[in-house]
């Protein structure tokens, strides 16, 4: 279940929206090398679990005769990375294309195990093709391009309108109002909570990100872990502690059957979650049809509009892949070419500016959400992602030990502050063992 | 209670002393066993009950009782047909790994155990040390080195990558060794040799029947271990079509937490139920051998 908790990227958001600049990349400047590979044909192996890639692979094969895309699901999240790591270490059996979540990219870049896509001409997408969040994470520090973004996950407030109405609770616009709403729910009905949380590293990093925190930073091999003094982190911890102390949140872990159950029967009234959530709600919470709506993420200061990213993946080429040129063509097709539409139709949320702003996308009405044009909210959120966020070059490890440290706070055995401090100690020790220079 | 003729200490007649046939009753033990039964049976009951629910009622009904609808048949059909019937593919993969891997491991263990127990040869203490050492090393610790080795040989992502490591069962070998040593009297072997039996015939016709309980025990051990094996296939296999059931069901379960993935908890549960049925059947069929196997080894001289 952890793959969703991995959250995106080194966002440097707030781009000027200029859909027009997009036309610049068409046509003449295509690198010939990869085109030739396309004509020659061949087989590429793609390791990914993303379900919409099936349609993309079919479309790509249909368009290019002689090309076969061998789409293999080697596991989801951790399992996928274990397999990838093993193949990289063994130096054989590597896929030509691998799905890599934004949070996992830094570790592969530092391990020099992903190809720099600049050599295939990926520079052409450097400006105004993708939103800054996802693009920031595939470029990580700006030296090289290590992946083609597939989707993005700007967060918003998903809420069950029926439950809010039933208890006369206003949809919160600030975090202060959100806490108030949480208390109103608890007073109104013993079974209803504003949300659930049992300690989720991805959720926490996203919230800290929105608060403007930058607890992690990397420069070369210098890594800073600053969970105790970072202002954004402290702000979040202080805010969230009463939610645990006063039992304002349902103690249920995300992505379990209990969680889906609570989403369906109205005992979880809202979620602050990534823009990819609609597809999951539609398929797993059919009972919620017509009840759910999407609102902008609550803000720390009334009138602000700062958001963050949650989840999302890119496609990358492992160093040593056999068929890199063809692989690049496929990634281009899936990330910026005709494949994007295939994925959107299947419910994915784009990372490309053009699609985020297309009328078709913005004005699409969702029956599940009572006919609401939810993409207006979500697209807006994509453009307001807070700047400066970075993931650790060992973020996967960080997530895996989250429950042993910060997670204790959710059991009432420590405060969030203490938990964060433990997390920091653990990460610093691990980073040192891995040979990073850890700043004190 | 009549008077105490037998004992001077007590006025009450003492209870018959506990014996093997009439063990003493212990309330504490009964309670503990009762708890163990609950602990092991409740999940099974849960599994059976929930396999009868549709995805929707699974999420909206009490876990330990039936929902209004009864969808067991639908669920089974859907499990067997979902994603072009890949469940059946996984089932046959698992069977292949069990038959070839666990079956082969059992044969090797019997041959090896017999040789070690009944023949003297140079280096036997070394073999002993290696086997005992191998029992102590958990399979998980060897998985990654094994992966790298198989990768060199180009065998990863093939059924061989699961079957070959499964063939090696130090624990099974050790068990067979002990069992052979205890259950085949040397006199019997001598007698057979004097009667003119060659070594092959001696093994096949005289010794093997005596080893039956031990073989069944080792075979069951290996079968269960292979049937449930998760980590080895996880790192060796990347092709969904080669997955055993354990990996396949995990993949299904993970779908629910994938962006855009379809939640199919009801199929995971039904699939899990279907997965344990063959094991239960095998246990029931081989139970008597298994029981006599456990006791046989322990009562020989």
């Amino acid at each position: 279940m952890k793959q969703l908790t991995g959250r995106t990227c080194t966002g440097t958001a707030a781009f000027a929206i200029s859909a027009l600049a997009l036309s610049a990349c068409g046509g003449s400047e295509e690198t010939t090398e990869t085109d030739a590979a396309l004509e020659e044909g061949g087989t590429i192996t793609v390791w990914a679990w993303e379900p919409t890639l099936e349609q993309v692979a079919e479309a790509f094969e249909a368009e290019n005769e002689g090309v076969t895309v061998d789409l293999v699901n080697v596991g989801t999240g951790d399992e996928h990375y274990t397999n990838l790591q093993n193949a990289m270490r063994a130096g054989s059996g590597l896929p030509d294309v691998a799905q890599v979540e934004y949070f996992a990219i830094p570790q592969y870049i530092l391990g020099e195990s992903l190809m720099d896509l600049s050599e295939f001409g990926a520079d052409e997408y450097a400006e105004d093709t993708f939103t800054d969040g996802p693009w920031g994470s595939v470029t990580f520090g700006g030296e090289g391009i290590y992946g083609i973004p597939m989707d993005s996950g700007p967060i918003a407030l998903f809420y069950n309108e029926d439950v809010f109405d039933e208890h006369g609770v206003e949809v919160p616009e600030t975090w202060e109002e959100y806490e108030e709403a949480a208390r109103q729910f608890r007073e109104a009905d013993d079974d209803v909570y504003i949300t659930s949380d049992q300690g989720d590293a991805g959720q926490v990093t996203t919230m800290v990100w929105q608060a403007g925190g930058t607890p992690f930073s990397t420069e070369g091999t210098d890594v800073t872990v600053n969970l105790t003094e970072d202002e954004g982190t402290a702000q979040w911890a202080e805010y969230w502690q009463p939610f645990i102390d006063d039992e304002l949140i349902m103690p249920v872990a995300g992505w379990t059957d209990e969680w889906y159950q609570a989403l369906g029967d109205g005992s979880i009234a809202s979620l602050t979650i990534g823009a990819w959530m609609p597809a999951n709600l539609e398929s797993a919470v059919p009972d919620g049809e017509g009840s759910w709506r999407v609102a902008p993420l609550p803000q720390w200061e009334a009138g602000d509009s700062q958001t963050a990213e949650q989840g999302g993946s890119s496609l990358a080429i492992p160093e040593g892949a056999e068929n890199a040129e063809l692989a690049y063509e496929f990634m281009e097709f899936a990330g910026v070419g005709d494949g994007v539409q295939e994925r959107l139709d299947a419910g994915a949320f784009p990372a490309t500016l053009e699609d985020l702003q297309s009328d078709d996308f913005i004005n699409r009405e969702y029956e599940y959400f009572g006919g609401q044009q939810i993409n207006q909210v979500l697209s807006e959120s994509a453009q307001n992602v807070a700047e400066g966020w970075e993931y650790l070059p060992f973020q996967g490890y960080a997530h895996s030990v989250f429950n042993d440290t910060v997670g204790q706070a959710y059991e009432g055995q420590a405060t969030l502050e203490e938990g964060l401090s433990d997390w920091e100690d653990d990460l610093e020790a691990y980073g040192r063992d891995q040979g990073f220079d850890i700043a004190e | 209670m009549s008077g105490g003729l037998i004992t001077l200490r007590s006025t009450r007649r003492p209870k018959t002393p506990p014996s093997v046939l009439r063990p003493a009753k212990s309330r504490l033990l009964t309670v503990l066993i009762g708890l163990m039964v609950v602990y092991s049976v409740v999940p099974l009951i849960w599994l059976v009950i929930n396999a009868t629910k549709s995805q929707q009622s699974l999420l909206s009904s009490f876990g330990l009782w039936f929902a209004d609808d009864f969808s067991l048949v639908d669920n089974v059909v859907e499990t067997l047909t979902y994603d072009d019937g890949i469940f059946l593919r996984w089932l046959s993969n698992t069977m292949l790994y069990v038959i070839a891997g666990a079956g082969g491991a059992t044969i090797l263990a019997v041959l090896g155990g017999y040789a070690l127990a009944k023949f003297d040869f140079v280096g036997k203490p070394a073999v002993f040390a290696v086997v005992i050492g191998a029992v102590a090393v958990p399979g998980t610790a060897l998985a990654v080195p094994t992966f790298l080795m198989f990768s060199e040989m180009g065998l990863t992502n093939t059924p061989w990558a699961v079957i070959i490591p499964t063939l090696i069962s130090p624990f099974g070998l050790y068990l067979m060794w002990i069992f052979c040593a205890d259950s085949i009297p040397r006199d019997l072997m001598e007698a057979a040799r004097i009667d003119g039996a060659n070594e092959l015939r001696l093994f096949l016709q005289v010794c093997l029947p005596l080893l039956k309980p031990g073989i069944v025990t080792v075979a069951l051990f290996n079968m269960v271990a292979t049937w449930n094996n998760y980590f080895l296939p996880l790192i060796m296999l990347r092709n969904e079509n080669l997955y055993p059931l354990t990996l396949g069901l995990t993949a299904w379960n993970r779908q629910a937490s994938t962006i855009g993935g379809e939640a199919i908890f009801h199929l995971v549960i039904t699939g899990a139920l279907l997965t344990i049925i063959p094991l239960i059947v095998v246990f029931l069929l081989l139970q008597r051998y298994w029981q006599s196997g456990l006791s046989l080894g322990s009562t020989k001289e």
Side-chain angles (χ1 to χ4, degrees):
Chain A
M1 70 173 228
K2 282 295 175 194
Q3 62 283 7
L4 270 180
T5 63
R7 304 290 129 102
T8 335
C9 95
T10 74
T12 48
F15 42 77
I17 312 149
S18 49
L20 32 133
L22 286 164
S23 49
C25 52
S28 60
E29 284 200 302
E30 286 274 272
T31 39
T32 48
E33 203 181 350
T34 55
D35 276 350
L38 208 52
E39 264 160 42
E40 202 174 304
T43 302
I44 49 165
T45 308
V46 180
W47 286 4
W49 65 83
E50 164 69 45
T52 62
L53 280 179
E54 264 173 50
Q55 284 95 304
V56 176
E58 274 168 34
F60 187 68
E61 285 176 344
E63 203 161 290
N64 303 288
E65 224 171 290
V67 175
T68 310
V69 179
D70 195 2
L71 189 62
V72 190
N73 182 348
V74 300
T76 306
D78 293 346
E79 291 173 1
H80 172 90
Y81 296 119
T82 306
N83 273 320
L84 196 56
Q85 204 80 47
N86 283 339
M88 283 168 172
R89 191 138 48 125
S92 68
L94 279 166
D96 299 296
V97 177
Q99 175 176 1
V100 183
E101 286 161 284
Y102 296 132
F103 83 87
I105 288 180
Q107 78 188 65
Y108 291 111
I109 297 179
L110 286 176
E112 294 182 355
S113 38
L114 294 182
M115 276 191 192
D116 183 352
L117 305 177
S118 318
E119 58 181 287
F120 301 115
D123 318 52
E124 62 177 304
Y125 304 120
E127 274 170 45
D128 301 324
T129 304
F130 296 101
T131 54
D132 288 2
W135 187 253
S137 43
V138 298
T139 48
F140 189 68
E143 291 162 31
I145 300 162
Y146 296 93
I148 299 286
M150 247 199 317
D151 52 11
S152 66
I155 49 173
L157 179 72
F158 288 69
Y159 67 99
N160 189 322
E161 191 173 54
D162 291 348
V163 177
F164 272 76
D165 285 351
E166 188 188 334
H167 300 295
V169 179
E170 295 274 317
V171 178
E173 286 174 14
T174 64
W175 286 115
E176 209 182 316
E177 288 172 20
Y178 183 86
E179 186 179 345
E180 218 168 279
R183 293 184 191 280
Q184 284 172 341
F185 278 124
R186 298 306 297 132
E187 275 162 29
D189 189 332
D190 230 17
D191 294 327
V192 180
Y193 294 81
I194 191 150
T195 197
S196 74
D197 191 4
Q198 217 188 16
D200 175 341
Q203 183 73 18
V204 170
T205 47
T206 303
M207 297 302 289
V208 169
W209 182 346
Q210 190 222 359
T214 49
F216 311 129
S217 62
T218 308
E219 245 192 278
T221 56
D222 294 329
V223 173
T224 310
V225 183
N226 186 5
L227 289 157
T228 43
E229 282 158 33
D230 179 70
E231 270 179 42
T233 312
Q235 187 177 358
W236 169 80
E238 198 185 319
Y239 174 73
W240 203 244
Q241 188 66 48
F243 280 79
I244 299 171
D245 294 344
D246 302 345
E247 295 174 10
L248 301 180
I249 36 175
M250 184 187 262
V252 160
W255 309 103
T256 57
D257 48 348
E258 288 162 292
W259 186 70
Y260 279 119
Q261 186 176 343
L263 289 178
D265 67 19
S267 45
I268 294 178
S270 75
L271 297 169
T272 49
I273 208 159
W276 30 258
M277 192 63 197
N280 288 69
L281 279 175
E282 280 173 30
S283 100
V285 194
D287 288 348
E289 170 140 17
S291 304
W292 286 80
R293 297 288 182 278
V294 183
L297 190 67
Q299 296 296 313
W300 292 100
E301 300 282 343
D304 277 1
S305 56
Q306 185 149 294
T307 61
E309 292 258 358
Q310 191 175 47
S313 346
S314 63
L315 293 174
I317 306 179
E319 199 69 62
E322 280 173 28
N323 224 337
E325 283 91 18
L326 198 54
Y328 181 73
E329 283 293 329
F330 174 75
M331 285 158 50
E332 228 177 10
F333 182 82
V336 288
D338 295 348
V340 179
Q341 197 56 46
E342 301 279 342
R343 302 196 57 241
L344 291 187
D345 292 345
F349 193 83
T352 37
L353 283 173
E354 189 186 14
D355 296 289
L356 276 171
Q357 286 148 15
S358 75
D359 288 344
D360 205 31
F361 183 73
I362 293 275
N363 298 327
R364 184 170 162 197
E365 291 175 3
Y366 285 77
E367 228 169 275
Y368 187 90
F369 295 90
Q372 189 190 353
Q373 295 166 328
I374 59 170
N375 288 338
Q376 298 194 340
V377 179
L378 299 174
S379 180
E380 177 83 21
S381 174
Q383 291 154 27
N384 290 312
V385 174
E387 285 180 42
W389 178 264
E390 279 182 44
Y391 280 118
L392 284 173
F394 40 88
Q395 196 69 30
Y397 172 82
H399 285 181
S400 73
V401 296
F402 178 86
N403 275 352
D404 308 333
T405 52
V406 189
Q408 297 297 312
Y410 291 84
E411 311 282 326
Q413 291 170 5
T415 61
L416 282 174
E417 205 186 334
E418 288 161 357
L420 287 166
S421 165
D422 289 347
W423 198 23
E424 176 175 310
D425 292 345
D426 191 320
L427 295 182
E428 287 182 345
Y430 180 82
R432 261 182 223 112
D433 288 348
Q434 298 295 304
F436 290 102
D437 297 315
I438 304 289
E440 284 304 322
Chain B
M1 304 295 144
S2 56
L5 291 171
I6 301 164
T7 163
L8 299 171
R9 279 192 187 163
S10 167
T11 52
R12 283 188 296 167
R13 198 167 72 179
K15 290 174 185 156
T16 326
S19 71
V20 177
L21 293 176
R22 305 214 318 184
K25 280 181 185 144
S26 156
R27 203 162 288 164
L28 179 70
L29 215 57
T30 314
V31 171
L32 283 180
I33 294 289
L35 284 177
M36 284 305 290
V37 170
V38 170
Y39 180 77
S40 46
V41 170
V42 166
L44 202 62
I45 295 174
W46 182 90
L47 186 66
V48 173
I49 290 177
N50 286 281
T52 68
K53 298 177 186 174
S54 67
Q55 166 74 6
Q56 196 145 357
S57 58
L58 184 67
L59 296 183
S60 58
S61 64
F62 178 61
L64 278 176
W65 196 241
F66 296 92
D68 299 335
D69 58 340
F70 189 84
S71 323
L72 181 61
V73 178
D74 292 348
N75 284 350
V76 171
V77 171
E78 206 184 333
T79 303
L80 299 181
T81 54
Y82 187 81
D83 200 3
D84 298 332
I86 196 154
F87 185 87
L88 288 173
R89 172 97 208 194
W90 293 335
L91 182 67
S92 53
N93 290 342
T94 303
M95 294 207 172
L96 171 71
Y97 301 147
V98 165
I99 292 168
T106 308
I107 292 172
L108 289 177
V110 172
L111 295 176
Y114 176 73
L116 285 163
K118 295 302 173 196
F119 298 96
D120 289 315
F121 53 88
V122 187
K124 205 162 144 178
V127 174
F128 183 76
V130 169
V131 171
I132 293 295
V135 171
V137 180
T140 0
L142 294 174
V144 172
T146 317
F147 171 83
L148 293 176
M149 199 168 86
F150 274 69
S151 179
E152 282 293 307
M153 297 190 286
L155 288 176
T156 48
N157 206 18
T158 66
W160 295 113
V162 176
I163 294 170
I164 294 174
T166 310
L167 288 175
I168 316 302
S169 165
F171 181 69
L173 176 64
Y174 185 65
L175 211 67
M176 269 330 288
W177 181 349
I178 302 291
F179 195 87
C180 287
D182 283 349
S183 62
I184 305 172
R186 270 183 195 268
D187 300 348
L188 188 68
M189 293 175 69
E190 287 309 314
R193 281 191 183 119
I194 289 164
D195 285 348
N198 65 20
E199 287 301 321
L200 184 66
R201 190 162 164 196
L202 169 67
F203 173 68
L204 290 177
Q205 288 193 335
V206 178
C207 297
L208 214 49
L210 287 174
L211 293 176
K212 212 192 285 172
I215 296 171
V216 171
T217 310
V218 170
L220 269 175
F221 264 127
N222 286 336
M223 267 190 68
V224 174
T226 313
W227 193 275
N228 292 330
N229 201 351
Y230 178 76
F231 195 66
L232 179 74
L234 171 69
I235 67 160
M236 290 295 184
L237 304 177
R238 288 152 209 155
N239 187 341
E240 247 186 354
N241 288 322
L242 295 176
Y243 280 5
L245 286 164
T246 44
L247 275 189
L249 287 176
T250 318
W252 274 7
N253 195 32
R254 290 242 183 175
Q255 258 185 229
S257 56
T258 308
I259 293 177
E262 189 186 4
I264 45 169
F265 293 122
H266 62 308
L267 298 189
V268 176
I269 289 170
T270 312
L273 182 65
L274 295 179
T275 300
I276 61 170
I277 288 174
L279 272 192
I280 292 176
V281 169
V282 167
F283 257 87
L284 291 180
L285 287 178
L286 298 181
Q287 184 174 223
R288 53 204 184 93
Y289 298 105
W290 162 264
Q291 281 170 341
S292 62
L294 285 182
S295 57
L296 238 170
S298 58
T299 52
K300 283 284 172 188
E301 71 272 301

